[in-house]
Amino acid sequence: MKKVNYIISFLLVVCFLISALAISSTLALHTQTTYNFHFNDGDAFKKTQPPVKPEKISGGITKYFVDVSGDDLQIYDVNGKFKDPIFDKKDQRVMRKVKQIVNIELVAGLVAAVAFLCFYKYLYSKGFKAAIRDRMKFAIPAGVVLVITRIVLVAVKSIRTRFYAEFIGVRLPKDSLVAAVYGDPFFKSYLLFSTIIAMVILGITMYLNNKMTKPERIFY
């Protein structure tokens, strides 16, 4: 039984770290502020002049990620009675694949979060507060290391290019609007917001854990 509890306590930390990284990543990509921050950088549309305001593009992208209808991403430039689409077929193909990857990441994060809560509840109900406290002490340094690793990997252009070729693989023209949105330096905005969200998740979880597993004092 002790061996089983040890394995569960180990899985507790693993599931927590997976959920923190996956959820922070997907939230950063679902948050309109991430795109607005990127667009305000000034370099996003140097080669491509969008026919609509960047705020409309960021709003349309974030709505697309949460839309369950299965429709392709499209935003229109309204000219009187006419509505001109701003994303072409290749842009839409890329965004379909991006959405699939983001959804898989989100599901993985949510499943890991549910597993973490189940493991936590089990150990807590069995009175293993000290074990939970000891295991979760490793979550902060491990989480920081994983966040730094993500920063390093995403910041390296050759790795980003390889990832795109492996999982997306659609060649876009230089004047593509999607390329302008997600091209350099978008990764900086993504890393900034995903790192902030991850640190908030780590901090809040560790605070609550310390409150719940605080040893009872005999003497006051």
Side-chain angles (χ1 to χ4, degrees):
M1 192 65 182
K2 288 183 178 180
K3 188 176 181 180
V4 173
N5 290 335
Y6 177 82
I7 294 173
I8 291 176
S9 66
F10 174 77
L11 292 175
L12 177 81
V13 177
V14 172
C15 290
F16 170 65
L17 294 174
I18 292 174
S19 64
L21 285 175
I23 292 174
S24 64
S25 176
T26 53
L27 283 180
L29 293 173
H30 279 73
T31 303
Q32 188 170 347
T33 306
T34 304
Y35 299 95
N36 288 337
F37 185 86
H38 169 55
F39 297 153
N40 290 335
D41 184 52
D43 293 329
F45 298 120
K46 270 189 174 181
K47 296 180 181 179
T48 304
Q49 294 298 322
V52 299
K53 292 182 179 181
E55 293 80 7
K56 188 173 182 179
I57 297 176
S58 61
I61 290 175
T62 53
K63 288 179 181 178
Y64 172 70
F65 277 127
V66 299
D67 181 28
V68 295
S69 67
D71 294 337
D72 285 324
L73 171 67
Q74 191 55 268
I75 299 172
Y76 296 93
D77 176 24
V78 180
N79 295 313
K81 295 182 179 179
F82 300 98
K83 295 168 63 177
D84 300 322
I86 67 173
F87 291 106
D88 60 24
K89 294 298 183 182
K90 281 192 173 182
D91 287 336
Q92 292 177 334
R93 282 178 59 200
V94 169
M95 290 305 298
R96 281 199 299 270
K97 293 191 175 186
V98 171
K99 186 175 181 178
Q100 288 174 357
I101 294 171
V102 173
N103 285 344
I104 291 172
E105 186 178 38
L106 178 59
V107 170
L110 293 176
V111 170
V114 171
F116 164 75
L117 292 174
C118 291
F119 292 143
Y120 195 101
K121 182 180 179 180
Y122 169 79
L123 293 173
Y124 193 87
S125 65
K126 296 296 182 180
F128 298 120
K129 292 184 180 180
I132 296 174
R133 192 177 183 88
D134 290 340
R135 296 296 181 270
M136 290 299 289
K137 284 181 180 178
F138 295 102
I140 288 293
V144 171
V145 169
L146 290 175
V147 168
I148 292 174
T149 301
R150 178 169 65 185
I151 292 173
V152 173
L153 292 176
V154 175
V156 177
K157 188 172 183 178
S158 60
I159 296 178
R160 295 198 308 275
T161 303
R162 181 64 180 271
F163 177 86
Y164 182 87
E166 289 290 333
F167 295 97
I168 307 297
V170 179
R171 283 177 168 260
L172 291 172
K174 293 183 178 180
D175 61 348
S176 165
L177 191 53
V178 165
V181 173
Y182 287 104
D184 294 342
F186 176 76
F187 76 93
K188 296 179 182 178
S189 300
Y190 163 75
L191 288 177
L192 173 64
F193 285 94
S194 62
T195 299
I196 291 174
I197 295 170
M199 291 297 103
V200 169
I201 293 174
L202 288 172
I204 292 176
T205 303
M206 294 309 298
Y207 171 78
L208 294 175
N209 178 66
N210 288 337
K211 292 279 287 185
M212 293 184 66
T213 61
K214 186 177 180 180
E216 295 182 5
R217 296 177 62 182
I218 300 177
F219 302 102
Y220 294 88

